Amino acid sequence: MSLIRFKQRIGTHLAIALMLGAGVGITTVMLSIVLQASSDPAPGRSSALFRPYLDARPDALRSGSPDPGQALTWPDAKALLGQGGTWKQAAMAGGAVTLSRPGESSARLRARFATSEVFSVLGIAVVQGRAWTAEEGHAASRIVVLSRALASRECAQDCVGHRLELGRRSYTVVGVAEDWHPVPMFQGDLTRRPFVEPDEIYLPVETAIADRLTVVDGTAIWGGGPGHGSCRGQRVMASIVGVAAHCG
């Protein structure tokens, strides 16, 4: 009798099974998102990390949208870096670079453009070589620090001194950092990239500005006009830089 009734209403039973499966799947996904969004991305450091917000927009834009966004202009970021002598500070932006390999297909890498203190502020250990210095950053030196995962793919042994072709330019590897993947990615633009793969390569933000490397964090553009083409491009790059500061 059960088999006969099941065959008579097989469509209804299948619909119920699909609805139950969809409900379980949606619940699992929601719980996963809630757990990730509510987790501490920097255990032991969250209470000492601060991110300033400044509204540098013209009055006309400010009245139209009260939210200044998460980004700082590059001049504001530099001013904060210069004033915070007793704080460890880092300005940074999420980016992307293209790695060219001779005789092989190119690879797109997730990059972090930052000032020299980024590793000490965020607590990222440099396991080989060193980070770049503030002087090297100011000089827009073409040097990079690789994540351990990227270094294991690109170098057979020691990566320090290795040369990489990024966007048709040659960069020198000065260090290798431990893999670091906070969830959510609080050091970037939380409105665009909170749950993405970890950064694979780090380089000075001044170098990224000088070489016009691609920014993937949110950007804001204002001003510009006839005769201000190059200045307009600089504002795009400057507008995405955020600052994190670690007290201690």
Side-chain angles (χ1 to χ4, degrees):
M1 291 290 292
S2 298
L3 289 173
I4 292 172
R5 300 290 289 181
F6 178 78
K7 291 178 180 179
Q8 290 176 345
R9 299 183 180 180
I10 189 170
T12 301
H13 294 306
L14 288 176
I16 293 173
L18 289 173
M19 290 175 63
L20 289 174
V24 172
I26 292 172
T27 302
T28 303
V29 171
M30 290 180 64
L31 286 175
S32 176
I33 293 174
V34 169
L35 287 175
Q36 290 192 5
S38 60
S39 63
D40 186 352
R45 305 181 71 85
S46 295
S47 61
L49 285 169
F50 300 89
R51 184 170 184 169
Y53 290 85
L54 296 174
D55 193 347
R57 299 172 301 170
D59 290 339
L61 292 178
R62 193 177 305 170
S63 59
S65 174
D67 183 9
Q70 299 182 6
L72 296 176
T73 66
W74 180 228
D76 287 332
K78 289 194 292 185
L80 289 172
L81 291 171
Q83 294 173 6
T86 59
W87 295 67
K88 291 181 180 179
Q89 300 180 95
M92 66 196 72
V97 294
T98 300
L99 172 62
S100 300
R101 304 184 182 97
E104 300 181 24
S105 59
S106 60
R108 194 73 163 167
L109 303 178
R110 290 172 295 278
R112 178 66 40 188
F113 309 143
T115 50
S116 58
E117 291 283 355
V118 61
F119 300 101
S120 60
V121 168
L122 298 180
I124 307 173
V126 178
V127 295
Q128 289 182 24
R130 62 177 179 85
W132 61 87
T133 65
E135 291 74 19
E136 289 171 327
H138 296 328
S141 302
R142 290 194 175 117
I143 52 181
V144 298
V145 173
L146 309 184
S147 68
R148 188 192 288 270
L150 179 61
S152 65
R153 298 197 305 266
E154 296 300 322
C155 311
Q157 295 179 346
D158 189 2
C159 272
V160 176
H162 190 70
R163 307 282 292 184
L164 296 178
E165 294 295 324
L166 304 176
R168 299 181 181 180
R169 298 181 179 92
S170 181
Y171 293 74
T172 302
V173 178
V174 297
V176 176
E178 189 61 80
D179 292 334
W180 188 73
H181 189 200
V183 179
M185 297 280 280
F186 67 92
Q187 79 278 21
D189 185 350
L190 291 176
T191 64
R192 294 172 59 89
R193 306 175 71 234
F195 305 105
V196 294
E197 295 301 314
D199 297 320
E200 299 173 285
I201 189 169
Y202 305 84
L203 61 153
V205 65
E206 297 92 342
T207 305
I209 294 173
D211 290 346
R212 297 182 179 273
L213 299 180
T214 301
V215 174
V216 296
D217 278 349
T219 60
I221 307 172
W222 62 84
H228 294 84
S230 60
C231 182
R232 184 182 180 90
Q234 291 172 3
R235 289 179 183 177
V236 173
M237 173 59 75
S239 69
I240 46 71
V241 178
V243 171
H246 177 259
C247 181

